[in-house]
Amino acid sequence: MDLLLLSPNQFVTDDPAREAGMARDQLEEIELHMLQAQSFPRLLKVEWLELDGQISFHYKLSGKRMLSQRIHLRPFTMNDYYALLLAVVEALEDCKHYMLRAEGVLLHENYIFVGEEWEDIGLVYVPIRKEETSRTVREDLLSLAVRWTAHVEQVDGNGLQMVLHALDGEGGGGGPP
């Protein structure tokens, strides 16, 4: 999936293997219509455009910046880390309340957008049909959590260990999706 910034307030995703957009048969119709009909907490507002059977998604950034850029611009404390991670986990949990799948959220720094506060996030949701992959949402989330620690000013080892155990499914509570 490629990301193309159109302006500071909008970007588009599409499949790099195709000329532009994604084929409609690659998408979950119900999710596509759900995303068009309403907006969801912590997911970026999306509009889609269909041209010659190819769909491209246009996301409204609403003053948020790409996490991969923002994380270098401001200090990132352990409390910021916890707030950001909690916001992402809550967004993933909320998906099921709206008939969306957590697997539709792109869990990568380039597809996570942050407002003035670290917990003010906007995630990119792409309603691609479920594919059999070897990676799970839990593994992607764990990978994010580990990568983000490289940017934390002073890592709290005990707190981080508890978070990583919970994300890895060893925390007893089952962890996130």
Side-chain angles (χ1 to χ4, degrees), residues 1 10-14 21-22 27 32 35 46-49 55-59 125-128:
M1 189 95 30
Q10 183 180 22
F11 78 94
V12 177
T13 62
D14 61 27
M22 290 179 255
L27 305 171
L32 189 62
L35 290 169
V46 62
E47 295 175 359
W48 51 274
L49 174 66
I55 295 179
S56 59
F57 295 95
H58 300 253
Y59 295 86
Y125 191 93
V126 180
I128 296 177

Side-chain angles (χ1 to χ4, degrees), residues 31-47:
E31 293 178 5
L32 189 62
H33 292 292
M34 291 285 294
L35 290 169
Q36 185 179 31
Q38 68 186 70
S39 57
F40 302 94
R42 298 189 181 105
L43 296 183
L44 290 176
K45 177 75 176 147
V46 62
E47 295 175 359

